[in-house]
Coordinates of all heavy atoms in Angstrom, one line a residue:
M14 N 7.8 11.6 -11.7 CA 8.0 12.1 -13.0 C 9.3 12.9 -13.1 O 9.5 13.7 -12.2 CB 6.8 12.9 -13.5 CG 6.9 13.5 -14.9 SD 5.5 14.6 -15.4 CE 4.2 13.4 -15.4
K15 N 10.0 12.7 -14.1 CA 11.3 13.5 -14.2 C 11.0 15.0 -14.4 O 10.0 15.4 -15.1 CB 12.1 12.9 -15.4 CG 12.6 11.5 -15.2 CD 13.4 11.1 -16.4 CE 13.9 9.6 -16.1 NZ 14.6 9.1 -17.2
A16 N 11.8 15.8 -13.9 CA 11.7 17.2 -13.9 C 11.6 17.8 -15.3 O 10.8 18.7 -15.7 CB 12.8 17.9 -13.1
Q17 N 12.4 17.2 -16.2 CA 12.5 17.6 -17.6 C 11.1 17.3 -18.3 O 10.6 18.2 -19.0 CB 13.6 16.9 -18.3 CG 13.8 17.4 -19.8 CD 15.0 16.6 -20.4 OE1 15.4 15.6 -20.0 NE2 15.5 17.2 -21.5
K18 N 10.5 16.2 -18.1 CA 9.3 15.8 -18.7 C 8.2 16.7 -18.1 O 7.3 17.2 -18.8 CB 9.0 14.4 -18.4 CG 7.7 13.9 -19.1 CD 7.5 12.4 -19.0 CE 6.3 12.0 -19.9 NZ 6.2 10.5 -19.9
R19 N 8.2 17.0 -16.8 CA 7.2 17.8 -16.1 C 7.3 19.2 -16.7 O 6.2 19.8 -17.1 CB 7.5 17.9 -14.6 CG 6.5 18.8 -13.9 CD 6.9 18.9 -12.4 NE 6.7 17.6 -11.7 CZ 5.6 17.2 -11.1 NH1 4.5 18.0 -11.1 NH2 5.5 16.1 -10.6
A20 N 8.5 19.8 -16.9 CA 8.6 21.1 -17.5 C 8.1 21.1 -18.9 O 7.4 22.1 -19.3 CB 10.1 21.5 -17.5
K21 N 8.4 20.1 -19.7 CA 7.9 20.0 -21.1 C 6.4 20.0 -21.2 O 5.8 20.8 -21.9 CB 8.5 18.8 -21.8 CG 8.1 18.7 -23.2 CD 8.8 17.4 -23.9 CE 8.4 17.3 -25.3 NZ 9.0 16.1 -25.9
L22 N 5.7 19.2 -20.3 CA 4.3 19.2 -20.3 C 3.7 20.5 -19.8 O 2.7 21.0 -20.4 CB 3.8 18.1 -19.3 CG 4.0 16.6 -19.8 CD1 3.8 15.6 -18.7 CD2 3.2 16.3 -21.0
T23 N 4.3 21.1 -18.8 CA 3.8 22.4 -18.4 C 3.9 23.5 -19.5 O 3.0 24.3 -19.6 CB 4.6 22.9 -17.1 OG1 4.5 21.9 -16.1 CG2 4.1 24.2 -16.6
R24 N 5.0 23.5 -20.2 CA 5.2 24.4 -21.3 C 4.1 24.2 -22.4 O 3.7 25.1 -23.0 CB 6.6 24.3 -21.9 CG 7.7 25.0 -21.1 CD 9.0 25.1 -21.9 NE 9.5 23.8 -22.4 CZ 10.2 23.0 -21.7 NH1 10.6 23.2 -20.5 NH2 10.6 21.8 -22.3
A25 N 3.7 23.0 -22.5 CA 2.7 22.6 -23.5 C 1.3 23.0 -23.1 O 0.3 22.7 -23.8 CB 2.8 21.2 -23.9
G26 N 1.2 23.4 -21.8 CA -0.2 23.9 -21.3 C -0.9 22.8 -20.5 O -2.0 23.0 -20.0
W27 N -0.2 21.7 -20.2 CA -0.8 20.7 -19.4 C -0.6 21.1 -17.9 O 0.4 21.6 -17.5 CB -0.1 19.3 -19.6 CG -0.4 18.8 -21.0 CD1 0.3 18.9 -22.1 CD2 -1.6 18.0 -21.3 NE1 -0.4 18.3 -23.1 CE2 -1.5 17.7 -22.6 CE3 -2.7 17.6 -20.6 CZ2 -2.5 17.0 -23.3 CZ3 -3.7 16.8 -21.2 CH2 -3.6 16.5 -22.6
K28 N -1.5 20.7 -17.1 CA -1.4 20.9 -15.6 C -0.9 19.5 -15.1 O -1.5 18.5 -15.3 CB -2.8 21.2 -15.0 CG -2.6 21.4 -13.5 CD -3.9 21.9 -12.9 CE -3.7 22.0 -11.4 NZ -4.7 22.4 -10.6
V29 N 0.2 19.6 -14.4 CA 0.8 18.4 -13.8 C 0.6 18.3 -12.3 O 0.9 19.3 -11.6 CB 2.4 18.4 -14.1 CG1 3.0 17.1 -13.6 CG2 2.6 18.5 -15.6
G30 N 0.0 17.2 -11.9 CA -0.2 17.0 -10.4 C -0.2 15.6 -10.1 O 0.1 14.7 -10.9
G31 N -0.5 15.3 -8.9 CA -0.5 13.9 -8.4 C -1.9 13.4 -8.3 O -2.9 14.0 -8.6
A32 N -1.9 12.1 -7.9 CA -3.2 11.4 -7.8 C -4.1 12.1 -6.7 O -5.3 12.2 -6.9 CB -3.0 9.9 -7.5
D33 N -3.4 12.5 -5.6 CA -4.2 13.2 -4.6 C -4.9 14.4 -5.1 O -6.1 14.6 -4.8 CB -3.2 13.7 -3.5 CG -2.4 12.6 -2.9 OD1 -2.7 11.4 -3.1 OD2 -1.4 12.9 -2.1
E34 N -4.3 15.2 -5.9 CA -4.9 16.4 -6.4 C -6.1 16.0 -7.4 O -7.2 16.5 -7.4 CB -3.9 17.3 -7.1 CG -4.4 18.6 -7.6 CD -3.4 19.4 -8.3 OE1 -2.2 19.0 -8.3 OE2 -3.7 20.5 -8.8
F35 N -5.8 15.0 -8.3 CA -6.7 14.6 -9.3 C -8.0 14.0 -8.6 O -9.1 14.3 -9.1 CB -6.1 13.6 -10.2 CG -7.0 13.1 -11.3 CD1 -7.3 13.8 -12.4 CD2 -7.6 11.8 -11.2 CE1 -8.2 13.4 -13.4 CE2 -8.4 11.3 -12.2 CZ -8.7 12.1 -13.3
L36 N -7.8 13.3 -7.5 CA -8.9 12.7 -6.9 C -9.5 13.6 -5.8 O -10.5 13.2 -5.1 CB -8.5 11.3 -6.3 CG -8.1 10.3 -7.3 CD1 -7.5 9.1 -6.6 CD2 -9.3 9.9 -8.2
A37 N -8.9 14.7 -5.6 CA -9.3 15.7 -4.5 C -9.3 15.0 -3.2 O -10.3 15.2 -2.4 CB -10.7 16.3 -4.9
L38 N -8.2 14.3 -2.8 CA -8.1 13.6 -1.6 C -7.6 14.7 -0.5 O -6.7 15.5 -0.8 CB -7.2 12.5 -1.6 CG -7.5 11.3 -2.5 CD1 -6.4 10.3 -2.5 CD2 -8.8 10.7 -2.1
S39 N -8.1 14.6 0.7 CA -7.6 15.3 1.8 C -6.2 14.7 2.2 O -5.9 13.6 1.8 CB -8.5 15.3 3.0 OG -8.6 14.0 3.5
Q40 N -5.5 15.4 3.0 CA -4.2 14.9 3.4 C -4.4 13.6 4.2 O -3.7 12.6 4.0 CB -3.4 15.9 4.3 CG -2.0 15.5 4.6 CD -1.3 16.5 5.4 OE1 -1.9 17.4 6.0 NE2 0.0 16.5 5.3
E41 N -5.4 13.5 5.0 CA -5.7 12.3 5.8 C -6.1 11.1 4.9 O -5.7 10.0 5.1 CB -6.9 12.6 6.8 CG -6.5 13.6 7.9 CD -6.6 15.1 7.4 OE1 -7.2 15.3 6.3 OE2 -6.0 15.9 8.1
E42 N -6.9 11.4 3.9 CA -7.3 10.3 3.0 C -6.1 9.8 2.2 O -5.9 8.6 2.0 CB -8.3 10.8 2.0 CG -9.7 11.1 2.6 CD -10.7 11.9 1.7 OE1 -10.2 12.8 0.9 OE2 -11.9 11.6 1.7
S43 N -5.2 10.7 1.8 CA -4.0 10.4 1.1 C -3.1 9.5 2.0 O -2.6 8.5 1.5 CB -3.3 11.6 0.7 OG -2.1 11.3 0.0
F44 N -3.0 9.8 3.3 CA -2.2 9.0 4.2 C -2.8 7.6 4.3 O -2.0 6.6 4.4 CB -2.1 9.7 5.5 CG -1.2 10.9 5.6 CD1 -1.2 11.8 6.6 CD2 -0.2 11.1 4.6 CE1 -0.4 12.9 6.7 CE2 0.6 12.2 4.6 CZ 0.6 13.1 5.6
L45 N -4.1 7.5 4.4 CA -4.7 6.2 4.5 C -4.5 5.4 3.3 O -4.2 4.2 3.4 CB -6.2 6.4 4.8 CG -6.6 6.8 6.2 CD1 -8.2 7.1 6.2 CD2 -6.3 5.7 7.2
V46 N -4.5 5.9 2.1 CA -4.2 5.2 0.9 C -2.8 4.7 0.9 O -2.5 3.6 0.6 CB -4.5 6.1 -0.3 CG1 -4.0 5.4 -1.6 CG2 -6.0 6.3 -0.5
E47 N -1.9 5.6 1.3 CA -0.5 5.2 1.3 C -0.2 4.2 2.4 O 0.6 3.2 2.2 CB 0.4 6.5 1.6 CG 0.5 7.4 0.4 CD 1.3 8.6 0.6 OE1 2.1 8.6 1.6 OE2 1.3 9.5 -0.2
M48 N -0.8 4.2 3.6 CA -0.7 3.2 4.6 C -1.1 1.9 4.1 O -0.5 0.8 4.3 CB -1.5 3.6 5.8 CG -0.8 4.7 6.7 SD -1.7 5.3 8.1 CE -2.8 4.0 8.6
K49 N -2.3 1.9 3.4 CA -2.8 0.6 2.8 C -1.8 0.0 1.8 O -1.6 -1.2 1.8 CB -4.2 0.9 2.2 CG -4.9 -0.4 1.8 CD -6.3 0.0 1.4 CE -7.2 -1.2 1.1 NZ -8.5 -0.8 0.8
L50 N -1.3 0.9 0.9 CA -0.4 0.4 -0.1 C 0.9 -0.1 0.6 O 1.5 -1.2 0.2 CB 0.0 1.5 -1.1 CG -1.1 2.0 -2.0 CD1 -0.8 3.2 -2.8 CD2 -1.5 0.8 -3.0
D51 N 1.4 0.6 1.6 CA 2.6 0.1 2.3 C 2.4 -1.2 3.0 O 3.2 -2.1 2.9 CB 3.1 1.2 3.4 CG 3.6 2.5 2.8 OD1 4.0 2.4 1.6 OD2 3.6 3.5 3.5
L52 N 1.2 -1.4 3.6 CA 1.0 -2.7 4.3 C 0.8 -3.8 3.3 O 1.2 -4.9 3.5 CB -0.3 -2.5 5.2 CG -0.1 -1.7 6.4 CD1 -1.5 -1.5 7.2 CD2 0.9 -2.3 7.4
A53 N 0.1 -3.5 2.2 CA -0.1 -4.6 1.2 C 1.3 -5.0 0.6 O 1.5 -6.2 0.4 CB -1.0 -4.0 0.1
A54 N 2.1 -4.0 0.3 CA 3.5 -4.4 -0.2 C 4.3 -5.2 0.8 O 5.0 -6.2 0.4 CB 4.2 -3.1 -0.6
R55 N 4.1 -4.8 2.1 CA 4.9 -5.6 3.2 C 4.4 -7.0 3.3 O 5.1 -7.9 3.5 CB 4.7 -4.8 4.5 CG 5.6 -5.4 5.6 CD 7.0 -5.2 5.3 NE 7.8 -5.8 6.4 CZ 8.5 -6.9 6.3 NH1 8.7 -7.5 5.2 NH2 9.2 -7.3 7.4
L56 N 3.0 -7.2 3.2 CA 2.4 -8.5 3.2 C 3.0 -9.4 2.1 O 3.4 -10.5 2.3 CB 0.9 -8.4 3.2 CG 0.2 -9.8 3.1 CD1 0.4 -10.6 4.3 CD2 -1.3 -9.5 2.9
K57 N 3.0 -8.8 0.9 CA 3.5 -9.6 -0.3 C 5.0 -10.0 -0.1 O 5.3 -11.1 -0.4 CB 3.2 -8.8 -1.5 CG 3.6 -9.5 -2.8 CD 3.2 -8.7 -4.0 CE 3.5 -9.5 -5.3 NZ 3.1 -8.8 -6.5
A58 N 5.7 -9.0 0.3 CA 7.2 -9.2 0.5 C 7.4 -10.3 1.6 O 8.3 -11.2 1.4 CB 7.9 -7.9 0.8
L59 N 6.7 -10.1 2.7 CA 6.9 -11.1 3.8 C 6.5 -12.5 3.4 O 7.2 -13.5 3.7 CB 6.1 -10.6 5.0 CG 6.2 -11.5 6.3 CD1 7.7 -11.4 6.8 CD2 5.3 -11.0 7.4
R60 N 5.4 -12.6 2.7 CA 4.9 -13.9 2.3 C 6.0 -14.6 1.4 O 6.3 -15.7 1.5 CB 3.6 -13.8 1.6 CG 3.1 -15.1 1.0 CD 1.8 -15.0 0.2 NE 2.0 -14.1 -1.0 CZ 2.6 -14.5 -2.1 NH1 3.2 -15.7 -2.2 NH2 2.7 -13.7 -3.1
A61 N 6.5 -13.8 0.4 CA 7.4 -14.3 -0.5 C 8.8 -14.7 0.2 O 9.4 -15.7 -0.1 CB 7.8 -13.3 -1.6
S62 N 9.2 -13.8 1.2 CA 10.4 -14.1 1.9 C 10.3 -15.4 2.8 O 11.3 -16.0 3.0 CB 10.9 -13.0 2.8 OG 10.0 -12.8 3.9
R63 N 9.1 -15.7 3.2 CA 8.9 -16.9 4.0 C 8.5 -18.2 3.1 O 8.1 -19.2 3.6 CB 7.8 -16.7 5.0 CG 8.2 -15.5 5.9 CD 7.8 -15.7 7.3 NE 8.5 -14.8 8.1 CZ 7.9 -14.1 9.1 NH1 6.7 -14.4 9.5 NH2 8.6 -13.3 9.8
N64 N 8.6 -17.9 1.8 CA 8.3 -19.0 0.8 C 6.9 -19.6 1.0 O 6.7 -20.8 1.0 CB 9.4 -20.1 0.8 CG 10.7 -19.6 0.3 OD1 10.8 -18.9 -0.6 ND2 11.8 -19.9 1.1
M65 N 6.0 -18.7 1.3 CA 4.6 -19.2 1.5 C 3.8 -18.8 0.3 O 4.0 -17.8 -0.3 CB 4.0 -18.4 2.8 CG 4.7 -18.8 4.1 SD 3.9 -17.8 5.5 CE 2.4 -18.7 5.7
S66 N 2.8 -19.7 0.0 CA 1.9 -19.4 -1.1 C 0.7 -18.5 -0.5 O 0.5 -18.4 0.7 CB 1.3 -20.6 -1.7 OG 0.5 -21.3 -0.8
Q67 N 0.0 -17.9 -1.4 CA -1.2 -17.2 -1.0 C -2.2 -18.1 -0.4 O -2.9 -17.7 0.6 CB -1.8 -16.4 -2.2 CG -1.0 -15.2 -2.7 CD -1.6 -14.6 -3.9 OE1 -2.5 -15.2 -4.6 NE2 -1.2 -13.4 -4.2
A68 N -2.3 -19.3 -0.9 CA -3.2 -20.3 -0.3 C -2.8 -20.7 1.2 O -3.7 -20.8 2.0 CB -3.2 -21.6 -1.2
E69 N -1.5 -20.7 1.4 CA -1.0 -21.0 2.8 C -1.4 -19.9 3.7 O -1.9 -20.1 4.8 CB 0.4 -21.3 2.8 CG 0.9 -22.6 2.1 CD 2.3 -22.8 1.9 OE1 3.0 -21.8 1.6 OE2 2.8 -23.9 2.1
V70 N -1.2 -18.7 3.3 CA -1.6 -17.5 4.1 C -3.1 -17.5 4.4 O -3.6 -17.3 5.5 CB -1.1 -16.2 3.5 CG1 -1.6 -15.0 4.3 CG2 0.4 -16.2 3.4
A71 N -3.8 -17.8 3.3 CA -5.3 -17.8 3.4 C -5.7 -18.9 4.4 O -6.6 -18.6 5.2 CB -5.9 -18.1 2.0
K72 N -5.1 -20.0 4.4 CA -5.5 -21.1 5.4 C -5.3 -20.6 6.8 O -6.1 -20.8 7.7 CB -4.7 -22.3 5.1 CG -5.1 -23.5 5.9 CD -4.4 -24.8 5.5 CE -4.9 -26.0 6.3 NZ -4.3 -27.2 5.9
L73 N -4.1 -19.9 7.1 CA -3.9 -19.4 8.4 C -4.9 -18.4 8.8 O -5.2 -18.3 10.0 CB -2.5 -18.8 8.4 CG -1.3 -19.7 8.4 CD1 0.0 -18.9 8.2 CD2 -1.2 -20.7 9.5
L74 N -5.4 -17.6 7.9 CA -6.3 -16.5 8.1 C -7.8 -17.0 8.2 O -8.7 -16.3 8.5 CB -6.2 -15.4 7.1 CG -5.0 -14.6 7.2 CD1 -4.9 -13.7 5.9 CD2 -4.9 -13.7 8.4
G75 N -8.0 -18.3 7.7 CA -9.4 -18.7 7.6 C -10.1 -18.0 6.4 O -11.3 -17.7 6.5
S76 N -9.3 -17.8 5.4 CA -9.8 -17.0 4.2 C -9.6 -17.8 2.9 O -9.3 -19.0 3.0 CB -9.2 -15.6 4.2 OG -9.8 -14.8 3.3
S77 N -9.6 -17.1 1.8 CA -9.4 -17.7 0.5 C -8.1 -17.1 -0.1 O -7.7 -16.0 0.2 CB -10.6 -17.5 -0.4 OG -10.7 -16.1 -0.7
Q78 N -7.6 -17.9 -1.1 CA -6.4 -17.4 -1.8 C -6.7 -16.1 -2.5 O -5.9 -15.2 -2.6 CB -5.9 -18.5 -2.8 CG -4.8 -18.1 -3.7 CD -5.3 -17.4 -4.9 OE1 -6.3 -17.7 -5.5 NE2 -4.5 -16.4 -5.4
S79 N -7.9 -16.1 -3.1 CA -8.3 -14.9 -3.9 C -8.3 -13.6 -3.0 O -8.0 -12.5 -3.4 CB -9.6 -15.0 -4.6 OG -10.6 -15.2 -3.8
R80 N -8.7 -13.8 -1.8 CA -8.8 -12.7 -0.8 C -7.4 -12.2 -0.4 O -7.1 -11.0 -0.4 CB -9.5 -13.1 0.5 CG -9.8 -12.0 1.4 CD -10.9 -11.2 0.8 NE -11.3 -10.1 1.7 CZ -11.7 -8.9 1.3 NH1 -11.9 -8.7 0.0 NH2 -12.0 -8.0 2.2
V81 N -6.4 -13.2 -0.3 CA -5.1 -12.8 -0.1 C -4.5 -12.0 -1.3 O -3.8 -11.0 -1.1 CB -4.2 -14.0 0.3 CG1 -2.7 -13.6 0.4 CG2 -4.7 -14.6 1.6
A82 N -4.8 -12.5 -2.4 CA -4.4 -11.8 -3.7 C -4.9 -10.3 -3.6 O -4.2 -9.4 -4.0 CB -4.8 -12.5 -4.9
K83 N -6.2 -10.1 -3.3 CA -6.7 -8.8 -3.2 C -6.1 -8.0 -2.1 O -5.8 -6.8 -2.2 CB -8.2 -8.9 -2.9 CG -9.1 -9.3 -4.0 CD -10.5 -9.4 -3.7 CE -11.3 -9.8 -4.9 NZ -12.8 -9.8 -4.6
M84 N -5.7 -8.6 -1.0 CA -4.9 -7.9 0.1 C -3.6 -7.4 -0.4 O -3.2 -6.3 -0.2 CB -4.7 -8.8 1.3 CG -6.0 -9.2 2.0 SD -5.9 -10.6 3.1 CE -4.7 -10.0 4.3
E85 N -2.9 -8.3 -1.2 CA -1.6 -7.9 -1.7 C -1.7 -6.8 -2.7 O -0.7 -6.1 -3.0 CB -0.9 -9.1 -2.2 CG -0.5 -10.1 -1.1 CD 0.3 -11.3 -1.7 OE1 0.5 -11.4 -2.9 OE2 0.7 -12.1 -0.8
A86 N -2.8 -6.7 -3.4 CA -3.0 -5.7 -4.4 C -3.7 -4.4 -3.8 O -3.9 -3.5 -4.6 CB -3.9 -6.2 -5.5
A87 N -3.9 -4.4 -2.5 CA -4.5 -3.2 -1.9 C -5.9 -2.9 -2.5 O -6.2 -1.8 -2.6 CB -3.6 -2.0 -1.8
D88 N -6.6 -4.0 -2.8 CA -7.9 -3.8 -3.4 C -8.8 -3.0 -2.5 O -8.7 -3.0 -1.2 CB -8.5 -5.2 -3.6 CG -9.9 -5.2 -4.3 OD1 -9.9 -5.2 -5.5 OD2 -10.9 -5.1 -3.5
G89 N -9.7 -2.3 -3.1 CA -10.6 -1.4 -2.3 C -11.5 -2.1 -1.3 O -12.0 -1.4 -0.4
T90 N -11.7 -3.3 -1.5 CA -12.6 -4.1 -0.6 C -11.8 -4.6 0.7 O -12.4 -5.1 1.6 CB -13.2 -5.3 -1.3 OG1 -12.2 -6.2 -1.7 CG2 -14.0 -4.9 -2.4
V91 N -10.5 -4.4 0.7 CA -9.7 -4.9 1.8 C -9.5 -3.7 2.8 O -9.2 -2.6 2.4 CB -8.3 -5.3 1.3 CG1 -7.4 -5.7 2.4 CG2 -8.5 -6.5 0.3
T92 N -9.7 -4.0 4.0 CA -9.6 -3.0 5.1 C -8.2 -3.0 5.7 O -7.5 -4.0 5.6 CB -10.6 -3.3 6.2 OG1 -10.3 -4.6 6.8 CG2 -12.0 -3.2 5.7
L93 N -7.8 -1.9 6.3 CA -6.6 -1.8 7.0 C -6.4 -2.9 8.1 O -5.4 -3.5 8.3 CB -6.3 -0.4 7.6 CG -6.0 0.6 6.6 CD1 -6.1 2.0 7.3 CD2 -4.7 0.4 6.0
D94 N -7.5 -3.1 8.9 CA -7.4 -4.1 10.0 C -7.2 -5.5 9.4 O -6.5 -6.3 10.1 CB -8.7 -4.0 10.9 CG -10.0 -4.4 10.2 OD1 -10.2 -3.9 9.1 OD2 -10.7 -5.1 10.8
L95 N -7.7 -5.8 8.3 CA -7.5 -7.2 7.7 C -6.0 -7.3 7.3 O -5.4 -8.3 7.5 CB -8.4 -7.4 6.5 CG -8.2 -8.8 5.8 CD1 -8.5 -9.9 6.7 CD2 -9.2 -8.8 4.6
L96 N -5.5 -6.2 6.7 CA -4.0 -6.3 6.4 C -3.2 -6.4 7.6 O -2.2 -7.3 7.6 CB -3.6 -5.0 5.6 CG -4.1 -4.9 4.2 CD1 -3.9 -3.5 3.7 CD2 -3.3 -5.9 3.3
V97 N -3.5 -5.7 8.7 CA -2.7 -5.8 9.9 C -2.9 -7.2 10.5 O -1.9 -7.8 11.0 CB -3.2 -4.7 10.9 CG1 -2.6 -5.0 12.3 CG2 -2.8 -3.4 10.4
R98 N -4.1 -7.7 10.5 CA -4.3 -9.1 11.1 C -3.5 -10.1 10.3 O -2.9 -11.0 10.8 CB -5.8 -9.5 11.0 CG -6.1 -10.8 11.7 CD -7.6 -11.0 11.9 NE -8.4 -11.1 10.7 CZ -8.7 -12.2 10.1 NH1 -8.2 -13.3 10.5 NH2 -9.4 -12.2 9.0
A99 N -3.5 -10.0 9.0 CA -2.7 -10.9 8.1 C -1.2 -10.8 8.5 O -0.5 -11.9 8.6 CB -2.9 -10.6 6.7
L100 N -0.7 -9.6 8.6 CA 0.7 -9.5 8.9 C 1.1 -10.0 10.3 O 2.1 -10.7 10.5 CB 1.1 -8.0 8.9 CG 1.2 -7.4 7.4 CD1 1.2 -5.9 7.5 CD2 2.4 -8.0 6.7
L101 N 0.2 -9.8 11.3 CA 0.4 -10.4 12.6 C 0.3 -11.9 12.5 O 1.1 -12.6 13.2 CB -0.7 -9.9 13.6 CG -0.5 -8.4 14.0 CD1 -1.8 -8.0 14.7 CD2 0.7 -8.2 14.8
T102 N -0.6 -12.5 11.8 CA -0.8 -13.9 11.6 C 0.5 -14.6 11.1 O 0.8 -15.7 11.5 CB -2.0 -14.2 10.8 OG1 -3.1 -13.7 11.4 CG2 -2.2 -15.7 10.6
I103 N 1.2 -13.9 10.1 CA 2.3 -14.6 9.6 C 3.6 -14.2 10.2 O 4.7 -14.4 9.7 CB 2.4 -14.5 8.0 CG1 2.4 -13.0 7.6 CG2 1.2 -15.2 7.4 CD1 2.6 -12.9 6.0
G104 N 3.5 -13.5 11.4 CA 4.6 -13.3 12.2 C 5.3 -11.9 12.3 O 6.3 -11.8 12.9
L105 N 4.7 -10.9 11.8 CA 5.3 -9.6 11.9 C 4.9 -9.0 13.3 O 3.8 -9.2 13.8 CB 4.7 -8.7 10.8 CG 5.6 -7.6 10.3 CD1 6.9 -8.2 9.6 CD2 5.0 -6.7 9.2
S106 N 5.8 -8.4 13.9 CA 5.5 -7.8 15.2 C 4.8 -6.4 15.1 O 4.8 -5.9 14.0 CB 6.9 -7.6 16.0 OG 7.6 -6.5 15.4
K107 N 4.3 -5.9 16.2 CA 3.6 -4.6 16.1 C 4.6 -3.5 15.8 O 4.3 -2.6 15.0 CB 3.0 -4.3 17.5 CG 1.8 -5.2 17.9 CD 1.1 -4.6 19.1 CE 1.9 -4.8 20.3 NZ 1.2 -4.5 21.6
A108 N 5.8 -3.6 16.2 CA 6.9 -2.6 15.9 C 7.2 -2.7 14.4 O 7.3 -1.6 13.8 CB 8.1 -2.8 16.7
E109 N 7.3 -3.9 13.8 CA 7.5 -4.0 12.4 C 6.4 -3.4 11.6 O 6.6 -2.8 10.5 CB 7.8 -5.4 12.0 CG 9.2 -5.9 12.6 CD 9.3 -7.4 12.5 OE1 8.4 -8.2 12.8 OE2 10.5 -7.9 12.2
I110 N 5.2 -3.7 12.0 CA 4.0 -3.1 11.3 C 4.0 -1.6 11.4 O 3.8 -0.9 10.4 CB 2.7 -3.7 11.9 CG1 2.6 -5.2 11.5 CG2 1.5 -2.9 11.4 CD1 1.4 -5.9 12.2
A111 N 4.4 -1.1 12.5 CA 4.5 0.4 12.7 C 5.5 1.0 11.7 O 5.3 2.0 11.1 CB 4.8 0.8 14.1
R112 N 6.6 0.3 11.5 CA 7.7 0.7 10.6 C 7.1 0.6 9.1 O 7.4 1.5 8.3 CB 8.9 -0.1 10.7 CG 9.8 0.3 11.9 CD 11.2 -0.2 11.9 NE 11.2 -1.7 12.1 CZ 11.2 -2.3 13.2 NH1 11.1 -1.6 14.4 NH2 11.2 -3.6 13.3
A113 N 6.4 -0.4 8.8 CA 5.8 -0.6 7.5 C 4.8 0.6 7.2 O 4.8 1.1 6.1 CB 5.1 -1.9 7.4
I114 N 4.0 0.9 8.2 CA 3.1 2.0 8.0 C 3.8 3.3 7.9 O 3.5 4.2 7.2 CB 2.1 2.1 9.2 CG1 1.1 0.9 9.1 CG2 1.3 3.4 9.2 CD1 0.3 0.7 10.4
G115 N 4.9 3.4 8.6 CA 5.7 4.7 8.7 C 6.5 5.0 7.4 O 7.2 5.9 7.4
G116 N 6.3 4.2 6.4 CA 7.0 4.4 5.1 C 6.8 5.8 4.5 O 7.2 6.8 5.1
K117 N 6.2 5.9 3.4 CA 6.0 7.1 2.7 C 5.1 8.1 3.4 O 5.3 9.3 3.4 CB 5.4 6.8 1.3 CG 6.2 6.0 0.4 CD 5.5 5.6 -0.8 CE 6.2 4.6 -1.6 NZ 5.3 3.8 -2.5
A118 N 4.0 7.6 4.1 CA 3.1 8.4 4.8 C 3.7 9.3 5.8 O 3.5 10.5 5.9 CB 2.0 7.6 5.4
S119 N 4.6 8.7 6.6 CA 5.2 9.6 7.7 C 6.3 10.5 7.1 O 6.4 11.6 7.6 CB 5.9 8.7 8.7 OG 7.0 8.0 8.2
R120 N 6.9 10.1 6.0 CA 7.9 11.0 5.4 C 7.1 12.3 4.8 O 7.7 13.4 4.8 CB 8.7 10.3 4.3 CG 9.7 9.4 4.9 CD 10.6 8.8 3.8 NE 9.9 8.0 2.8 CZ 9.7 6.7 2.9 NH1 10.1 6.1 4.0 NH2 9.1 6.1 1.9
R121 N 6.0 12.1 4.2 CA 5.2 13.2 3.7 C 4.6 14.1 4.7 O 4.5 15.3 4.4 CB 4.1 12.6 2.8 CG 4.6 12.0 1.5 CD 3.6 11.6 0.6 NE 2.9 12.8 0.1 CZ 1.8 12.9 -0.6 NH1 1.2 11.7 -0.9 NH2 1.2 14.0 -1.0
A122 N 4.4 13.6 5.9 CA 3.8 14.4 7.0 C 4.9 15.4 7.5 O 4.5 16.4 8.1 CB 3.3 13.5 8.1
A123 N 6.1 15.0 7.4 CA 7.2 15.8 8.0 C 7.4 17.1 7.3 O 7.0 17.3 6.2 CB 8.5 15.0 8.0

């Protein structure tokens, strides 16, 4: 949110915070959510860069297209290990996965 808009809302009596505060997430829970979002975004970008359809990825995983769509959307039913397995299956290395996880979550920990 832009600083000017934040200041305007604060002056009007609104409390401005993030999703973490609103949902009362611990720092660890927040990092897990961010890791999941980072991995889901990386899966979608990698699939698109390789000109693969969700159905093609699903076939490699022994899953369904709708499940891959849920993975790319970081749906609550998708686990971190499934996202990692999908990324490994379509060719991402462990080091590249570590960099994908290290996105926002590691910057916030610093």
